[in-house]
Amino acid sequence: MTTPFDSALVWFRRDLRSTDHAALHYALKQARRVWCVFVFDTDILDPLPRADRRVVFIRDSLLELDEALRQLAAAREVPNAQGAGLIVVHGSALTEIPRLAQQLGVQAVFANHDDEPHALVRDAQVRGKLSDVGAALFTSKDHVIFERNEILTGNDTPYGVFTPYKNNWLKKVDEFYVKAYPVAPHAQHLAAIPADVGMKAPDGSRIPGLGELGFEPTDALKVPAGMSGAQALLDDFLERMDHYRDTRDFPGVKGPSYLSTHLRFGTVSIRLLAKLAWDRAKAGSTGAQTWLSELIWRDFYHQVMHHHPHVIGHSFKREYDKIKWMSGAKAEARFAAWCGGRTGYPLVDAAMRQINQTGYMHNRLRMVVASFLIKDLGIDWRWGERYFAEKLLDFDLAANNGGWQWAASSGCDAQPYFRIFNPISQSQKFDAAGKFIRRYVPELAHLSDKAIHAPWLLGDLGDAVDYPAPIVQHEAARAETLERYAVVKTGEKPR
Ligand SMILES: Cc1cc2nc3c(=O)[nH]c(=O)nc-3n(C[C@H](O)[C@H](O)[C@H](O)COP(=O)(O)OP(=O)(O)OC[C@H]3O[C@@H](n4cnc5c(N)ncnc54)[C@H](O)[C@@H]3O)c2cc1C
């Protein structure tokens, strides 16, 4: 069969897998020879802290991807299959992709959509530079089930409320949208990499070490990396999916899937996950129905970012930018206590220590600590958003922004401004026996199940316990917040 292109390059970004991959599928079907590249993009990496778990996760995942590509080539008896695999470069994608396209003489570069605003600008610039060297950039949907304008209201406008969006999503989804983009049947087009192309680590491997990238090792990742890591987590979750609805809110229980980092970096296919959940949901599993809803929230926030890019940096509901947040030394001190897990509220502190120690935080706790920062401490949600962006292994611009603006009440389909979580009753309800608190705030482990949620009510904890008194009183903070939000003129009324 003739192919439209003699050679092509697949540019991997947030899709670090070798199965069910839209861009790889299209490239292999349309070009006689295909190379694959990942750019350690200095425009993204330079501002990051030098010990960053995400860089470790990416690097570990690339080792596996490189090997998987070689195995795919070998299985299709590609000449010199051991020379196939992943090209890795370190520099700005704006220069590296066009340079590589020219060096390899490809006519086409294939990539999957990345709808983050800075990524769209980057891709437009790369597209222009590629045309200067005679290559075209083709991009396709891969990261979500429905994107951009695929789910609109009857008036062709984007949805601003989740439930009707979800109903329409469920109405539209069919086997086509969750079908895999096969790679293996076309893998004979994977080509061996020319010797002078890409990075070479001192050990001869093509994947550079952290040091070569200017990064330092971190403590061991709690999430296993790569496609195999995703598969292991998925296998484990499949045993538990039917109970998800009943277990997902309790941080001391293994309820959720822990697949968010894999969804973020594409080490698992969203189509595979959505199909598994959808099939079980149709068969009546309420756990699967609830989990599928979470995957739909993910699509929802991606389309919010696409249609309303002002949410990056501004409130979705613009009038919420009139709110005057705390500032100055008092705000800085409160923020430092929140970041360090030293607010005196045990569940909040346990959650902040979880993110600091592992790069993950349970969803219920993300809501609790976000609400606490904004509505108990009076701090601008953007401060918290930024902190999560730095710490979360699964940091995703659209979901993180959506989550923070939900908690701040400024977002698309957010909770009303007068709904203010009580950090003590959240703790009593979702960590009743203090199991999670004891894990991350061991200095309180000796307290009774009743006392652990608000230890100051016991009176003096004693010198032996180095745990702070609460930095604010919830009831007073709540009243201040309602005043602060009074500048927002909406039809919402406190109940
Ligand atoms: C303040 C705040 C910040 C958040 N920041 C992020 C973030 O940076 N990255 C991120 O992936 N999620 C974020 N979330 C959503 C959610 O907390 C995480 O997706 C979830 O905790 C990840 O754990 P899991 O994979 O075990 O989730 P599960 O409960 O197993 O859910 C399955 C998948 O559904 C998606 N999902 C679940 N809940 C949401 C949601 N509310 N919005 C969008 N997608 C969702 C995720 O991809 C998740 O992996 C945030 C939520 C809040 C309240």
Side-chain angles (χ1 to χ4, degrees):
M1 197 179 78
T2 56
T3 52
F5 302 113
D6 175 64
S7 58
L9 183 63
V10 179
W11 177 15
F12 285 77
R13 293 108 67 99
R14 45 198 305 158
D15 44 15
L16 308 182
R17 66 183 185 282
S18 59
T19 55
D20 185 6
H21 190 289
L24 186 55
H25 168 85
Y26 287 128
L28 291 170
K29 278 184 69 173
Q30 295 184 50
R32 196 174 61 79
R33 285 176 306 156
V34 172
W35 291 284
C36 299
V37 64
F38 180 83
V39 183
F40 276 107
D41 192 338
T42 44
D43 297 333
I44 300 171
L45 297 182
D46 282 352
L48 297 181
R50 292 301 89 187
D52 192 300
R53 295 185 182 101
R54 280 136 339 165
V55 180
V56 178
F57 184 91
I58 293 171
R59 186 184 169 275
D60 288 355
S61 299
L62 295 183
L63 286 170
E64 205 176 275
L65 177 58
D66 178 45
E67 180 55 30
L69 290 169
R70 267 199 298 276
Q71 282 177 14
L72 278 167
R76 297 305 305 254
E77 295 175 2
V78 168
N80 187 16
Q82 277 314 305
L86 190 65
I87 299 167
V88 176
V89 291
H90 184 209
S92 167
L94 296 178
T95 46
E96 294 300 330
I97 291 294
R99 193 200 333 255
L100 190 60
Q102 189 170 31
Q103 195 181 3
L104 292 166
V106 300
Q107 300 89 52
V109 175
F110 289 83
N112 291 319
H113 288 165
D114 181 344
D115 278 349
E116 292 187 1
H118 74 273
L120 291 169
V121 172
R122 175 198 63 199
D123 288 357
Q125 290 176 351
V126 169
R127 177 172 275 115
K129 290 184 174 199
L130 280 172
S131 77
D132 295 342
V133 298
L137 177 65
F138 298 98
T139 59
S140 8
K141 176 179 72 171
D142 180 82
H143 194 63
V144 288
I145 301 296
F146 294 115
E147 62 172 11
R148 301 183 178 180
N149 286 332
E150 286 189 296
I151 303 276
L152 293 174
T153 66
N155 297 327
D156 281 348
T157 53
Y159 279 98
V161 180
F162 176 69
T163 304
Y165 172 87
K166 174 179 138 179
N167 292 340
N168 203 349
W169 192 108
L170 288 169
K171 205 161 99 192
K172 185 161 179 173
V173 76
D174 62 20
E175 291 295 337
F176 169 79
Y177 288 106
V178 292
K179 202 169 71 181
Y181 288 91
V183 169
H186 313 288
Q188 70 275 17
H189 296 298
L190 288 170
I193 303 168
D196 54 345
V197 167
M199 295 179 84
K200 294 259 173 1
D203 65 358
S205 132
R206 287 204 204 87
I207 315 294
L210 286 176
E212 285 161 86
L213 298 166
F215 282 85
E216 295 157 14
T218 58
D219 41 9
L221 294 182
K222 294 280 188 297
V223 180
M227 293 174 277
S228 61
Q231 190 61 52
L233 289 174
L234 177 58
D235 289 346
D236 186 54
F237 181 61
L238 287 176
E239 309 271 312
R240 299 183 281 113
M241 189 194 279
D242 293 335
H243 310 291
Y244 176 74
R245 195 178 67 159
D246 304 324
T247 54
R248 70 189 190 118
D249 267 321
F250 302 95
V253 172
K254 201 174 173 190
S257 68
Y258 307 105
L259 279 163
S260 48
T261 308
H262 291 284
L263 279 162
R264 165 62 183 84
F265 292 107
T267 33
V268 69
S269 152
I270 180 63
R271 288 173 291 280
L272 170 71
L273 299 186
K275 168 133 178 74
L276 287 167
W278 186 48
D279 284 349
R280 270 206 211 184
K282 282 185 292 185
S285 161
T286 51
Q289 285 160 9
T290 309
W291 198 64
L292 183 59
S293 277
E294 298 307 316
L295 298 182
I296 302 174
W297 269 108
R298 179 175 174 271
D299 276 17
F300 180 71
Y301 282 141
H302 274 88
Q303 62 90 41
V304 169
M305 182 177 65
H306 170 75
H307 289 291
H308 311 282
H310 78 274
V311 296
I312 309 306
H314 301 278
S315 296
F316 171 83
K317 297 186 218 157
R318 292 176 190 269
E319 68 275 18
Y320 278 66
D321 279 336
K322 286 194 282 195
I323 293 172
K324 294 267 178 295
W325 302 104
M326 290 258 309
S327 60
K330 197 166 164 190
E332 299 283 349
R334 286 182 171 194
F335 184 61
W338 179 83
C339 295
R342 300 214 29 104
T343 67
Y345 283 86
L347 189 66
V348 172
D349 292 343
M352 294 309 296
R353 295 179 195 191
Q354 182 183 37
I355 196 175
N356 292 336
Q357 289 170 29
T358 69
Y360 178 80
M361 191 192 288
H362 187 279
N363 179 58
R364 168 60 45 185
L365 300 178
R366 295 187 204 207
M367 296 192 285
V368 169
V369 302
S371 177
F372 186 81
L373 184 74
I374 301 162
K375 293 180 177 172
D376 280 84
L377 302 184
I379 307 270
D380 191 333
W381 57 268
R382 281 159 280 234
W383 293 26
E385 184 194 25
R386 217 176 307 129
Y387 191 75
F388 270 31
E390 190 185 308
K391 294 285 173 192
L392 280 176
L393 198 44
D394 66 21
F395 165 58
D396 175 84
L397 188 64
N400 194 44
N401 181 269
W404 276 96
Q405 295 224 38
W406 180 86
S409 304
S410 59
C412 191
D413 203 6
Q415 68 166 342
Y417 72 86
F418 47 82
R419 256 201 77 202
I420 299 176
F421 281 168
N422 180 322
I424 303 168
S425 46
Q426 288 285 313
S427 185
Q428 289 162 337
K429 189 164 173 196
F430 296 111
D431 191 32
K435 190 172 166 201
F436 184 81
I437 294 173
R438 282 178 231 281
R439 193 180 309 154
Y440 285 99
V441 190
E443 62 268 37
L444 301 181
H446 62 287
L447 297 184
S448 69
D449 294 1
K450 190 156 178 272
I452 200 162
H453 308 286
W456 64 92
L457 297 178
L458 282 182
D460 189 0
L461 271 174
D463 289 344
V465 179
D466 172 27
Y467 188 70
I471 56 169
V472 289
Q473 289 305 323
H474 175 68
E475 282 313 319
R478 187 174 187 283
E480 271 176 41
T481 289
L482 289 175
E483 237 171 76
R484 178 170 287 118
Y485 273 80
V487 297
V488 180
K489 295 269 178 283
T490 70
E492 300 166 78
K493 290 270 181 304
R495 275 176 291 213

